[in-house]
């Protein structure tokens, strides 16, 4: 808890385990320090906020400071969740409650590893929790992926969601066929945004440049390609159902891809069974009269293409733009979730002008002194405790790899917080000595000319975005550059 006082002399309050001390010099107040544990969280996405939330609720003397590279909080809730999924973003309300706790502070516009070093954080805090997520891209590793018209799903999603680093992406949507590599929820989000009626998107918080580009888009067919079969798709039934019911579109799938699938369903778990049944119904069952009419009037189509792996992105005659994708036809070895895709000698070429790779996000190392497993792209840990680094913890995708939904991240982050609390309680983490926390970090930032964005500063940004959105019938119109965010926050 931080406070300021104009009292003179020395005042001491005993609050259970806390001792609050305020020393005054020359009549100028100094910030109150506490003997309670000082914890720093790096990253303000779901992992960071859920970790902070659990720590603050579980221990009444802990101070949690959240550091974020961007001036705005909430990570992938703001920049990753699809614009037409506003209900998923409601979790921001919970994060806001955490940020407004007296024992929580937000410091945006602070780049850990550049503005402040990990060593400086570790000196200032009893514990440091790394929760900065996965901002890198997994590459396909095939010839031609450098061509114009090839994008990662992470960057494409960042473009339509207003991530400042993706503002200049400006994808060319003048082709008729797009191929998305990957069959998870992000892949379906991208497919849905590419094909959704613009009138539907106008009511969301999609960025103005993306909305304008999609209004002019000529993409009318999207293929969602996976290495394995219908029983291994990684999306959930909610996202599949949204594709099936997407206005103005119809499904187009290859019936042969579903041979033997119905017979295999008796051995799979219920969620997988329901998902596959919907796939089978969509691909094989004759639609009813109303659905048939809907499909007949559809001007856009989508479909899954199974057991295919990318071999090469083929260029157009200029040698600079994407013209087609060369795919290997795979066979499956094994069954169920453990089935492996094995290349065969058979190949096929799919003409397309847009390729979006949705094969996974990837975490990046933050500092040479912090352990990092480059093969798994995670920080090695045991229940969130970073291997051979006492006082250092990890939560979220940096801990587990980029898997699961927000609820998965919540449970994983709570586990990390519990590990940290156990270590405080057992003495494995020494919290008996005073640590300066944000006081020393703020002094270093002042010396370096870095002005953090506080949570109340973020609320100014939030208000401006909401007002701009209201003017055009949207929930918000996002600010798209760091410079504009900082200007508004300091107004």
């Amino acid at each position: 808890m931080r406070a300021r006082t104009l009292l003179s002399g020395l005042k001491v309050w005993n609050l259970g385990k806390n001792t609050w001390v305020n020393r005054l010099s020359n009549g100028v107040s100094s910030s109150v320090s506490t003997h309670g544990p000082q914890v720093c969280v790096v990253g303000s996405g779901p992992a960071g906020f859920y970790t902070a939330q659990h720590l603050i609720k579980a221990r009444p003397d802990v101070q949690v400071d959240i550091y974020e590279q961007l001036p705005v909080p909430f990570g992938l809730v703001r920049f990753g969740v699809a614009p037409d999924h506003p209900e998923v973003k409601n979790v921001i309300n919970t994060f806001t409650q955490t940020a407004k706790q007296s024992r929580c502070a937000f410091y945006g516009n602070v780049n850990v590893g550049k503005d402040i070093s990990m060593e400086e954080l570790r000196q200032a805090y009893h514990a440091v929790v790394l929760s900065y997520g996965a901002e890198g891209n997994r590459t396909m590793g095939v010839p031609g992926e450098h061509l114009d018209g090839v994008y990662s799903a992470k960057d494409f999603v960042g473009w339509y969601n207003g991530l400042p680093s993706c503002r200049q992406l400006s994808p060319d949507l003048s082709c008729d066929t797009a191929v998305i590599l990957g069959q998870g929820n992000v892949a379906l989000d991208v497919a849905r945004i590419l094909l959704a009626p613009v009138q539907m998107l106008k009511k969301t918080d999609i960025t103005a440049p993306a909305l304008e580009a999609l209004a002019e888009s000529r993409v009318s067919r999207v293929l969602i390609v996976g290495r394995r079969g219908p029983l291994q798709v990684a999306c959930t039934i909610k996202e599949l159902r949204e594709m099936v019911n997407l206005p103005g579109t119809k499904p187009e799938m290859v019936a042969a891809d579903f041979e033997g699938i119905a017979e295999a369903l008796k051995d799979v778990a219920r969620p997988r069974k329901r998902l596959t049944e919907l796939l089978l119904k969509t691909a094989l069952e004759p639609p009813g009269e109303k659905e048939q009419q809907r499909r007949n009037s559809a001007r856009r189509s989508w479909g899954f293409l199974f057991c295919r792996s990318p071999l090469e992105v083929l260029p157009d005659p200029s040698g600079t733009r994407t013209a087609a994708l060369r795919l290997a036809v795979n066979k499956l070895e094994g069954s169920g979730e453990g089935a492996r895709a094995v290349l065969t000698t058979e190949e096929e070429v799919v003409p397309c002008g847009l390729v979006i790779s949705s094969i996974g996000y990837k975490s990046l190392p933050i500092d040479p002194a912090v352990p990092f497993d480059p093969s798994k792209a995670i920080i090695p840990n045991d229940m969130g405790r970073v291997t051979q680094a006492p006082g250092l913890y990890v939560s979220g995708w940096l801990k587990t790899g980029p898997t699961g939904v927000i609820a998965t991240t919540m449970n994983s982050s709570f586990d990390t917080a519990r590990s940290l609390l156990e270590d405080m309680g057992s003495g494995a983490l020494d919290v008996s000595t005073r640590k300066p926390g944000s006081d020393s970090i703020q002094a270093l930032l002042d010396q370096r000319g870095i002005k953090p964005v506080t949570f109340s500063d973020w609320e100014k940004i939030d208000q401006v975005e909401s007002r701009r959105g209201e003017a055009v019938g949207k929930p918000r119109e996002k600010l798209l550059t760091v410079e504009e965010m900082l200007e508004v926050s300091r107004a």
Side-chain angles (χ1 to χ4, degrees):
M1 189 178 294
R2 305 295 159 91
R4 292 188 179 274
T5 180
L6 295 177
L7 297 174
S8 59
L10 173 67
K11 290 249 180 180
V12 179
W13 294 264
N14 289 314
L15 300 174
K17 295 180 180 178
N18 271 359
T19 302
W20 300 77
V21 181
N22 185 53
R23 297 182 184 277
L24 297 184
S25 174
N26 300 324
V28 179
S29 67
S30 66
S31 58
V32 174
S33 300
T34 173
H35 283 304
Q38 301 281 320
V39 178
C40 152
V41 173
V42 180
S44 68
F49 266 108
Y50 279 129
T51 304
Q53 173 189 317
H54 194 81
L55 290 171
I56 289 166
K57 283 185 176 179
R59 184 155 176 154
D61 62 342
V62 71
Q63 168 71 34
V64 181
D65 296 332
I66 302 174
Y67 291 87
E68 167 59 50
Q69 179 177 340
L70 289 169
V72 294
F74 310 134
L76 281 184
V77 178
R78 178 180 170 98
F79 296 118
V81 173
D84 59 343
H85 283 174
E87 73 286 351
V88 180
K89 300 183 186 187
N90 288 338
V91 72
I92 284 175
N93 299 329
T94 302
F95 297 162
T96 297
Q97 290 175 7
T98 298
K100 288 189 169 185
Q101 292 276 344
S102 57
R103 291 179 292 113
C104 184
F106 173 76
Y107 298 94
N109 193 43
V110 178
N111 189 338
V112 173
K114 181 182 176 185
D115 301 331
I116 289 290
S117 72
M118 279 296 301
E119 182 55 33
E120 287 165 339
L121 286 180
R122 298 190 74 180
Q123 290 292 327
Y125 291 89
H126 293 102
V128 175
V129 185
L130 297 173
S131 307
Y132 60 82
E135 57 181 339
N137 293 317
R138 294 189 183 276
T139 59
M140 291 184 285
V142 301
E145 66 178 310
H146 64 282
L147 292 171
D148 292 341
V150 180
Y151 307 96
S152 72
K154 174 191 165 296
D155 291 346
F156 195 82
V157 169
W159 167 70
Y160 64 63
N161 272 334
L163 184 63
S165 62
C166 299
R167 188 171 63 94
Q168 303 294 344
L169 198 70
S170 188
D172 185 349
L173 305 179
S174 63
C175 62
D176 64 350
T177 299
V179 172
I180 301 172
L181 296 168
Q183 295 178 332
N185 283 344
V186 174
L188 268 67
D189 283 347
V190 171
R192 198 175 62 254
I193 296 300
L194 280 171
L195 296 176
V198 171
Q199 286 303 118
M200 192 170 106
L201 296 176
K202 279 183 178 178
K203 301 172 184 176
T204 74
D205 67 358
I206 193 168
T207 66
L211 190 61
E212 185 179 334
L214 288 163
E216 299 296 322
S217 171
R218 292 170 55 190
V219 174
S220 60
R221 178 173 177 247
V222 175
L223 295 176
I224 307 163
V225 177
R227 293 180 302 112
R228 300 190 294 169
L231 283 169
Q232 290 83 35
V233 292
C235 64
T236 58
I237 193 168
K238 175 182 181 291
E239 275 69 23
L240 177 58
R241 192 177 288 119
E242 286 178 318
M243 285 303 305
V244 171
N245 297 324
L246 188 63
T249 71
K250 60 183 175 183
E252 289 183 351
M253 287 189 259
V254 180
D257 284 347
F258 296 89
E259 289 179 5
I261 298 299
E263 292 75 16
L265 278 184
K266 62 181 183 298
D267 297 322
V268 301
R270 187 169 182 269
R272 169 67 66 184
K273 183 177 182 180
R274 290 176 62 233
L275 173 65
T276 312
E277 284 173 342
L278 180 56
L279 263 177
L280 285 167
K281 179 181 179 182
T282 305
L284 302 180
E285 285 189 18
E289 183 180 349
K290 187 176 179 181
E291 175 62 13
Q292 188 62 61
Q293 288 176 352
R294 190 182 79 88
R295 293 186 186 184
N296 289 343
S297 64
R299 303 177 69 176
R300 295 179 170 184
S301 68
W302 62 274
F304 285 97
L305 191 57
F306 297 105
C307 293
R308 303 291 190 275
S309 292
L311 294 176
E312 183 181 9
V313 183
L314 301 174
D316 67 1
S318 74
T320 61
R321 284 206 51 78
T322 299
L325 188 62
R326 186 163 65 91
L327 298 168
V329 178
N330 303 330
K331 65 177 181 179
L332 292 184
E333 290 187 353
S335 60
E337 303 291 342
R340 292 189 313 113
V342 179
L343 299 183
T344 68
T345 56
E346 188 180 348
E347 297 179 2
E348 67 183 28
V349 173
V350 177
C352 59
L354 180 64
V355 175
I356 298 175
S357 172
S358 184
I359 56 175
Y361 291 43
K362 182 175 73 171
S363 295
L364 303 172
I366 193 170
D367 186 287
V370 177
F372 190 80
D373 183 341
S375 63
K376 296 180 180 177
I378 61 169
I379 290 180
N381 68 92
D382 178 16
M383 292 294 288
R385 300 175 178 91
V386 176
T387 307
Q388 297 180 333
L392 200 56
Y393 299 81
V394 63
S395 67
W397 283 358
L398 190 59
K399 170 188 176 183
T400 62
T403 59
V405 294
I406 289 177
T408 318
T409 296
M410 177 185 72
N411 292 326
S412 172
S413 301
F414 286 174
D415 286 343
T416 292
R418 280 190 282 268
S419 292
L420 203 164
L421 291 163
E422 285 172 11
D423 291 349
M424 288 181 184
S426 69
L429 181 66
D430 183 7
V431 294
S432 63
T433 56
R434 184 191 298 272
K435 289 276 192 174
S438 64
D439 288 346
S440 68
I441 300 301
Q442 184 66 65
L444 291 170
L445 292 172
D446 288 344
Q447 292 171 17
R448 294 162 192 174
I450 307 295
K451 186 178 179 183
V453 172
T454 65
F455 201 78
S456 58
D457 292 335
W458 145 248
E459 290 181 312
K460 294 179 187 176
I461 297 172
D462 183 36
Q463 289 166 7
V464 167
E465 291 184 339
S466 297
R467 281 201 304 268
R468 292 184 181 183
E470 188 177 356
V472 292
K474 298 170 66 175
R476 72 173 61 239
E477 191 67 76
K478 292 177 182 174
L479 305 184
L480 301 182
T481 69
V482 168
E483 291 74 22
E484 193 176 10
M485 293 172 183
L486 292 177
E487 182 182 347
V488 169
S489 73
R490 291 165 185 170

